Amino acid sequence: MIFQEPSSALNPVLTCGHQISQVLKLHFSDLSKQQIAERTLSMLKKVGISSPETRMKEYPHQLSGGMKQRIMIAMALICQPEILIADEPTTALDVTIQAQILDIIKQLQQQYKTSLLLITHDLGVVSEMADQVLVMYAGKVVESNSAKNIFTEPKHPYTKGLLKSVLGLENF
């Protein structure tokens, strides 16, 4: 799982490398310390962490928001799960970093053949990332359709209202 706020999800007293390696230790007890370190370093490179050898030894407070989110992605994907749950993974990130994070998630999702359950209010992210969409209102699913059809042929009044609220989306 990739949590919405990495600053809250990461342990401030453990290095980033230690936190990622703990996931491997938990799931693959037969790996040596060297294998764990190599896999951790490799994953940091895959998520676009610059100077990964240095970042492994740093604490979350030493990283930017985008770097912390990359650490969360590395932790979530290091065991190559069948499903990845991402709860607002780009909240509070500027648009450039947001695009980078979404690209990383998409690339690694395809590489590991991982299904993605994306929880978001951002319809731009939905249009970029989703194949299927569930629209929820008051805790209940009110519409389910392909992403294309949600944007071109919304059925439920709430879905129509959501689309009307987005700048540039007319005719709903």
Side-chain angles (χ1 to χ4, degrees):
M1 175 152 187
I2 302 171
F3 293 97
Q4 182 173 1
E5 181 49 54
S7 294
S8 299
L10 293 169
N11 188 326
V13 299
L14 298 175
T15 65
C16 295
H18 180 79
Q19 292 182 65
I20 297 167
S21 68
Q22 288 301 303
V23 176
L24 283 173
K25 286 179 188 176
L26 180 65
H27 292 280
F28 301 100
S29 58
D30 59 327
L31 292 177
S32 70
K33 285 183 179 183
Q34 181 177 346
Q35 289 172 313
I36 289 171
E38 288 170 359
R39 286 190 186 185
T40 299
L41 184 62
S42 174
M43 183 55 77
L44 287 174
K45 290 176 183 175
K46 287 179 183 177
V47 297
I49 298 280
S50 60
S51 306
E53 296 86 357
T54 302
R55 302 289 186 217
M56 280 181 65
K57 299 172 190 163
E58 292 183 337
Y59 293 87
H61 74 272
Q62 295 175 289
L63 304 178
S64 69
M67 294 293 260
K68 289 177 197 172
Q69 198 58 288
R70 286 175 167 83
I71 297 296
M72 291 298 303
I73 294 167
M75 288 175 69
L77 288 173
I78 194 132
C79 292
Q80 300 177 13
E82 291 180 24
I83 186 165
L84 173 65
I85 301 169
D87 181 7
E88 296 280 5
T90 58
T91 297
L93 299 176
D94 70 55
V95 71
T96 304
I97 301 301
Q98 177 178 331
Q100 291 172 4
I101 295 296
L102 292 175
D103 284 344
I104 289 167
I105 292 172
K106 198 182 300 185
Q107 288 171 8
L108 293 174
Q109 175 197 10
Q110 291 170 353
Q111 180 180 346
Y112 296 136
K113 297 180 181 7
T114 298
S115 296
L116 175 64
L117 174 61
L118 178 64
I119 303 163
T120 186
H121 295 91
D122 187 329
L123 293 177
V125 171
V126 171
S127 68
E128 176 76 20
M129 299 291 289
D131 297 321
Q132 290 292 126
V133 177
L134 295 177
V135 177
M136 296 185 72
Y137 177 74
K140 299 197 185 297
V141 174
V142 295
E143 187 164 355
S144 175
N145 212 329
S146 70
K148 178 183 180 238
N149 287 345
I150 287 288
F151 285 95
T152 59
E153 302 170 24
K155 304 289 186 228
H156 194 273
Y158 183 72
T159 307
K160 291 176 184 179
L162 283 174
L163 293 170
K164 282 182 185 177
S165 73
V166 178
L167 296 176
L169 291 177
E170 310 295 333
N171 305 322
F172 286 105

